[in-house]
């Protein structure tokens, strides 16, 4: 791994604000982001990344490479929950295994946004269609996770159907915002897009830093309870995402030669959902324990990815 990349990521303001949030919890500080403000910042980040991705997509031409990249991303989101479910079943119930597998097969939009900033620091471009791939990777993992629970878990006649779950996945607020912003970015004229450019680009990194401060506070509050669950879930939350990211960093060269796109595919495969999947699992698999899959994704996998994972995936792509 390139040591300079690791040091550069460890000293980025976004990560340092995340660590400040954890430190605030450990010091029992009253520092916090109001809930309404936190939700607004989340929506802003999704709006900005979706709109800018739509503008990039509007300037690009559809190609076979884009088609293969989309297929690669969707297949990744289906295969990851399949193999992780059976790995998790060695220690956990089918319900908990299915929920965790869905979380790790799905994606984290915030990790994607952080990856955008990371690539900007390295001056490496990425394609606008990666935003579409991110949005399309959210739902398949949820459906696969629910199906696995239905097949191997306790039968529940009151559970919603697959069609209902799929609809919920795409109408989830975060997914709808990113898809809607992407579509608007594609449709907007150049003149109108430039009119809101200061809002979509100039203040982006500041809002990202504030959001990661909030994520650090939330993570710090959940970390102790999660660590009490034992070594297996902790090891899984560290090792499996790194494995997924490294494998995709290598295999993505089969569908695209662009380093930025390969990096984004690796980050998406390595990330874990802590917004859309918990919302879906609460409805579809109420027996699953959110005290496991939520802290695993947010308090462990997220910081591992933004500290060590991203430099590792990029090093594999550049030097592999």
């Amino acid at each position: 791994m390139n040591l300079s990349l690791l040091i550069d990521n460890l000293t980025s303001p976004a990560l340092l604000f995340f660590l400040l949030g954890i430190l605030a919890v450990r010091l029992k500080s009253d520092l916090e982001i109001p809930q309404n403000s936190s939700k607004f910042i989340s929506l802003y980040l999704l709006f900005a990344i979706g709109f800018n991705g739509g503008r990039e997509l509007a300037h690009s031409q559809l190609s076979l490479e884009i088609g293969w990249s989309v297929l690669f991303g969707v297949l990744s989101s289906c295969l990851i929950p399949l193999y992780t479910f059976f790995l998790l079943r060695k220690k956990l119930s089918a319900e908990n295994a299915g929920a965790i597998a869905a979380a790790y097969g799905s994606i984290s939009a915030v990790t994607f946004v952080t990856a955008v900033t990371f690539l900007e620091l390295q001056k490496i471009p990425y394609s606008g269609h990666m935003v579409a791939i991110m949005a399309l990777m959210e739902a398949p993992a949820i459906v696969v996770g629910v199906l696995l629970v239905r097949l191997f878990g306790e039968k529940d006649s009151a559970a919603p159907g697959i069609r209902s779950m799929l609809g919920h996945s795409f109408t989830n607020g975060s997914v709808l915002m990113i898809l809607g912003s992407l579509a608007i970015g594609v449709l907007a004229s150049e003149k109108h897009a430039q009119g809101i450019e200061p809002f979509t680009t100039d203040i982006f990194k500041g809002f990202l830093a504030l959001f990661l401060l909030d994520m650090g506070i939330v993570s710090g509050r959940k970390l102790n309870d999660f660590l009490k669950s034992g070594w297996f879930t902790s090891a899984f939350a560290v090792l499996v995402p790194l494995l997924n990211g490294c494998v995709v960093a290598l295999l993505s060269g089969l569908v695209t030669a662009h380093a930025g796109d390969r990096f984004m595919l690796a980050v998406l495969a390595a990330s874990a959902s802590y917004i859309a999947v918990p919302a879906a699992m609460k409805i579809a698999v109420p027996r699953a324990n959110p005290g496991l899959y939520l802290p695993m994704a947010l308090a462990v996998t997220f910081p591992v990815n933004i500290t060590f994972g991203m430099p590792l995936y990029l090093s594999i792509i550049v030097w592999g």
Side-chain angles (χ1 to χ4, degrees):
M1 177 169 55
N2 190 327
L3 187 60
S4 64
L5 285 180
L6 177 59
I7 294 173
D8 192 33
N9 212 29
L10 289 174
T11 55
S12 70
L15 175 61
L16 294 176
F17 273 102
F18 179 80
L19 296 176
L20 176 62
I22 295 177
L23 179 63
V25 174
R26 306 310 298 178
L27 295 176
K28 302 187 187 312
S29 168
D30 61 354
L31 175 65
E32 65 177 347
I33 304 293
Q35 186 175 355
N36 288 339
S37 298
S38 177
K39 186 173 183 179
F40 167 76
I41 295 170
S42 302
L43 290 174
Y44 165 76
L45 292 174
L46 293 170
F47 151 73
I49 196 69
F51 185 83
N52 288 332
R55 296 307 304 150
E56 291 293 330
L57 194 57
H59 296 147
S60 62
Q61 294 182 338
L62 293 177
S63 65
L64 193 60
E65 181 178 311
I66 292 177
W68 281 116
S69 296
V70 171
L71 181 61
F72 184 90
V74 172
L75 282 176
S76 297
S77 69
C78 292
L79 293 175
I80 289 172
L82 275 175
Y83 96 84
T84 52
F85 175 82
F86 292 105
L87 180 63
L88 290 160
R89 277 293 283 137
K90 296 180 182 295
K91 296 285 184 178
L92 303 174
S93 67
E95 288 74 20
N96 283 327
I100 296 171
Y104 281 83
S106 189
I107 57 90
S108 162
V110 177
T111 308
F112 182 91
V113 171
T114 310
V116 170
T117 304
F118 179 80
L119 283 182
E120 287 179 354
L121 290 172
Q122 305 305 320
K123 295 180 169 52
I124 299 174
Y126 73 99
S127 302
H129 65 264
M130 294 308 304
V131 180
I133 293 175
M134 174 185 66
L136 291 171
M137 287 178 68
E138 186 102 54
I142 296 174
V143 174
V144 171
V146 172
L147 283 172
L148 288 168
V149 172
R150 296 278 181 84
L151 288 171
F152 297 97
E154 295 182 26
K155 306 302 179 186
D156 187 355
S157 58
I162 294 299
R163 179 180 295 181
S164 173
M165 280 306 306
L166 187 59
H168 177 77
S169 299
F170 279 105
T171 57
N172 175 272
S174 60
V175 179
L176 190 60
M177 174 59 88
I178 199 86
L179 284 173
S181 299
L182 178 73
I184 293 169
V186 171
L187 296 172
S189 68
E190 195 68 34
K191 179 182 177 180
H192 291 152
Q194 287 178 353
I196 63 171
E197 191 171 289
F199 186 67
T200 58
T201 57
D202 294 349
I203 62 174
F204 180 85
K205 292 180 181 178
F207 272 108
L208 176 62
L210 281 175
F211 185 79
L212 289 180
L213 171 65
D214 187 40
M215 289 295 97
I217 294 170
V218 174
S219 298
R221 290 170 178 167
K222 295 180 179 296
L223 194 55
N224 284 341
D225 291 339
F226 165 69
L227 292 175
K228 294 176 183 177
S229 63
W231 68 268
F232 178 76
T233 49
S234 300
F236 180 97
V238 173
L239 298 177
V240 168
L242 291 175
L243 174 63
N244 292 339
C246 290
V247 170
V248 170
L250 287 170
L251 295 181
S252 58
L254 298 173
V255 296
T256 180
H258 297 289
D261 292 355
R262 292 180 61 187
F263 174 77
M264 285 300 190
L265 286 169
V267 168
L268 289 172
S271 68
S273 172
Y274 50 82
I275 299 174
V277 168
M281 290 299 123
K282 184 177 181 180
I283 297 172
V285 191
R287 293 194 185 96
N289 180 11
L292 281 178
Y293 57 80
L294 189 56
M296 285 174 71
L298 179 57
V300 182
T301 298
F302 177 65
V304 165
N305 268 323
I306 64 176
T307 52
F308 300 103
M310 291 183 188
L312 176 61
Y313 312 144
L314 187 58
S315 295
I316 290 172
I317 291 165
V318 172
W319 301 107

